[in-house]
């Protein structure tokens, strides 16, 4: 499992489906997705003779690490979820990341599952061992209220000729239905597709999936269009490995959020939502799903620039924070780049209070919440670890 956004969540959903089907699954549950993290997961499951316990391995793998990990793991199935700008100091632009992924794909003879709605991802079929080894998943339509055209567009050029793509539908960022005006590259028809969304709120999404002409209702307990794609990818791979669709649907419907991804926790009689942010597209989806349109939401945004987050935080200026301003939010910023975040909010029309630390930010957020109220914490990766430690300390002290 690789791609910019959704690796941890999609891996968790697929693992749940396999375990519901009775399979013994080995996975890197902690989300450590570099080569060292995959090796650690394997070592933890090995006996003294080096034999690995577990019938099936499901691993999320960092985009830049796939070319190192894939030849050693020799996966039978390989999933690419999406490609967005992320950690520019490490990956560079999307085309650079795509080239790294293509190198990993070309090194193995795996069945490839690609997001048809992301043109750069769909073009990775060229690196597969043959066209018969490629499957596509995608979304056919979404209610207008679930689409987000405010997101920064990271890859809207034809992967063949470089011409700007034409879009008939945009779901968010550059994900949608596209075609090259020169006829060099069109959206492939997905074999597994969302054909209808029947219900969507903060408690999850109910949708119809078509696979091989057969339609089935699926409910995912995770909200947002980005999690709809994660669930769809898990359904696609589960179908590819021959799981009973009913078992897959049951597993997806009962799986809770992965570490820091739409987690809810109760603290001092208040509900806090923990929503990981790490790039413009993901941040925009969090805003659109949880905050835009909400009156006076209380928000803590914690941004660090440590190596695991990415040193370059210029991406904050590509996030459509202006959409948040209309709701007159009360925002606190924290982390090593708290002032940078506060400055970005200032130019978006929102004045934020700057906390001295993540723990101080949580205190300020809780102080502004009435009993029973909801607060939203949007941290980058290392800030999320700090938030979870601070919340655990408060819960243990209660």
């Amino acid at each position: 499992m690789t791609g910019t956004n959704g690796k941890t969540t999609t891996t968790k959903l697929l693992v749940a489906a396999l375990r519901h089907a009775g399979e013994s699954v080995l996975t890197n549950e902690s989300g450590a997705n570099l080569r060292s993290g995959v090796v650690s997961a394997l070592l933890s499951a090995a006996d003294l003779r080096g034999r690995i316990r577990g019938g099936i391995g499901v691993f999320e793998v960092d985009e830049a690490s796939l070319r190192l990990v894939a030849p050693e793991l020799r996966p039978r199935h390989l999933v690419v979820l999406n490609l967005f700008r992320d950690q520019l100091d490490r990956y560079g632009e999307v085309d650079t990341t795509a080239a790294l992924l293509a190198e990993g794909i070309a090194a193995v003879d795996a069945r490839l599952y690609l997001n048809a709605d992301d043109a750069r991802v769909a073009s990775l079929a060229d690196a597969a061992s043959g066209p018969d080894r490629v499957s596509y998943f995608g979304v056919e339509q979404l209610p207008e209220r679930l689409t987000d055209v405010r997101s920064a567009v990271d890859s809207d050029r034809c992967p063949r000729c470089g011409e700007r793509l034409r879009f008939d539908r945009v779901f968010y960022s550059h994900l949608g239905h596209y075609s090259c005006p020169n006829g060099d590259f069109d959206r492939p028809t997905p074999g597994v597709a969302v054909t209808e969304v029947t219900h969507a709120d903060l408690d999850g999404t109910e949708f119809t999936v078509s696979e091989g002409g057969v339609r089935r209702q699926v409910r995912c307990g995770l909200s947002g269009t980005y999690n709809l794609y994660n669930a769809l990818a898990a359904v696609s791979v589960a179908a590819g490995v021959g799981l009973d669709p009913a078992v897959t649907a049951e597993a997806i419907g009962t799986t809770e959020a992965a570490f820091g991804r739409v987690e809810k926790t109760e603290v001092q009689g208040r509900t806090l939502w923990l929503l990981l942010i790490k790039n413009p597209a993901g941040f925009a989806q969090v805003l659109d799903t949880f905050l835009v349109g909400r009156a006076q939401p209380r928000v803590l945004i914690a941004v660090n620039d440590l190596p695991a987050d990415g040193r370059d935080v210029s991406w904050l200026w590509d996030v459509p924070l202006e959409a948040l301003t209309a709701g007159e939010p009360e925002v606190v910023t924290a982390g090593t780049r708290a002032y940078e975040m506060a400055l970005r909010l200032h130019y978006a029309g929102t004045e934020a209070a700057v906390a001295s630390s993540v723990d101080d930010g949580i205190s300020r957020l809780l102080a502004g919440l009435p009993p029973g109220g909801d607060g939203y914490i949007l941290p980058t990766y290392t800030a999320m670890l700090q938030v979870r430690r601070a919340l655990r300390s408060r819960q243990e002290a209660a």
Side-chain angles (χ1 to χ4, degrees):
M1 199 79 61
T2 192
T4 307
N5 292 342
K7 297 184 290 293
T8 302
T9 297
T10 308
T11 298
K12 185 171 185 180
L13 292 171
L14 180 58
V15 167
L18 288 164
R19 286 176 174 164
H20 269 63
E23 299 287 350
S24 174
V25 183
L26 170 61
T27 184
N28 48 344
E29 277 179 303
S30 69
N33 56 31
L34 299 178
R35 188 184 189 185
S36 57
V38 175
V39 170
S40 294
L42 291 168
L43 288 175
S44 68
D47 62 20
L48 294 176
R49 295 185 179 182
R51 293 175 298 194
I52 304 295
R53 297 183 298 274
I56 296 179
V58 180
F59 300 97
E60 64 164 288
V61 180
D62 168 80
E63 303 93 290
S65 298
L66 182 69
R67 62 196 178 99
L68 304 174
V69 173
E72 296 175 348
L73 279 183
R74 298 195 298 274
R76 296 181 183 178
H77 304 267
L78 203 161
V79 189
V80 185
L81 299 167
N82 47 57
L83 280 173
F84 299 109
R85 282 178 298 152
D86 187 55
Q87 295 192 35
L88 294 177
D89 54 317
R90 182 162 171 259
Y91 295 119
E93 291 293 338
V94 168
D95 287 347
T96 303
T97 309
L100 294 174
L101 288 175
E103 188 178 338
I105 291 167
V108 296
D109 184 28
R111 170 156 290 282
L112 195 58
Y113 300 81
L114 301 175
N115 186 344
D117 298 342
D118 187 320
R120 202 65 191 84
V121 168
S123 73
L124 291 172
D126 293 345
S129 56
D132 61 327
R133 305 291 289 164
V134 181
S135 300
Y136 297 97
F137 59 90
V139 174
E140 293 303 324
Q141 60 181 359
L142 283 180
E144 185 175 348
R145 63 189 174 82
L146 295 183
T147 61
D148 178 14
V149 297
R150 293 183 296 267
S151 301
V153 176
D154 293 339
S155 181
D156 64 348
R157 298 284 177 171
C158 173
R160 299 276 189 275
C161 68
E163 187 67 41
R164 191 180 296 276
L165 294 167
R166 292 190 186 129
F167 281 83
D168 298 324
R169 294 176 182 174
V170 176
F171 301 132
Y172 76 96
S173 189
H174 56 265
L175 270 60
H177 294 190
Y178 53 83
S179 62
C180 171
N182 297 330
D184 292 324
F185 191 81
D186 292 339
R187 173 183 181 261
T189 301
V192 179
V194 171
T195 58
E196 183 183 12
V197 174
T198 54
H199 181 77
D201 57 23
L202 293 187
D203 292 323
T205 306
E206 296 177 9
F207 55 97
T208 302
V209 171
S210 174
E211 192 267 315
V214 177
R215 298 193 174 193
R216 181 177 295 274
Q217 287 294 116
V218 178
R219 181 187 180 280
C220 176
L222 310 176
S223 52
T225 301
Y226 60 115
N227 279 317
L228 174 65
Y229 272 102
N230 295 336
L232 176 62
V235 169
S236 181
V237 182
V241 300
L243 293 191
D244 182 339
V247 172
T248 301
E250 181 182 358
I252 288 176
T254 56
T255 301
E256 296 182 351
F259 176 74
R261 283 76 170 173
V262 199
E263 274 189 278
K264 281 198 299 183
T265 186
E266 300 294 323
V267 180
Q268 298 175 12
R270 281 81 171 163
T271 298
L272 298 182
W273 297 73
L274 187 53
L275 309 163
L276 178 69
I277 56 171
K278 62 176 188 169
N279 51 45
F283 200 153
Q285 276 288 286
V286 167
L287 291 176
D288 194 64
T289 303
F290 294 93
L291 297 174
V292 172
R294 194 171 298 278
Q296 295 184 315
R298 273 74 167 183
V299 186
L300 167 62
I301 306 177
V303 178
N304 283 347
D305 62 352
L306 303 179
D309 306 293
R311 295 289 192 185
D312 186 340
V313 297
S314 62
W315 61 272
L316 295 174
W317 295 85
D318 293 326
V319 179
L321 286 157
E322 289 74 10
L324 180 62
T325 302
E328 299 182 348
E330 295 182 14
V331 184
V332 178
T333 64
T336 59
R337 300 308 287 266
Y339 284 98
E340 179 89 10
M341 189 70 248
L343 181 63
R344 173 67 186 96
L345 286 163
H346 167 77
Y347 278 100
T350 295
E351 299 303 324
V354 178
S356 60
S357 66
V358 166
D359 190 61
D360 178 41
I362 293 172
S363 295
R364 293 182 183 222
L365 177 65
L366 290 170
L369 287 174
D374 287 333
Y376 302 87
I377 303 177
L378 283 57
T380 57
Y381 181 73
T382 63
M384 177 183 69
L385 301 179
Q386 294 170 334
V387 167
R388 294 180 105 251
R389 283 195 295 269
L391 293 177
R392 187 165 55 248
S393 295
R394 289 166 188 270
Q395 289 168 333
E396 290 172 354

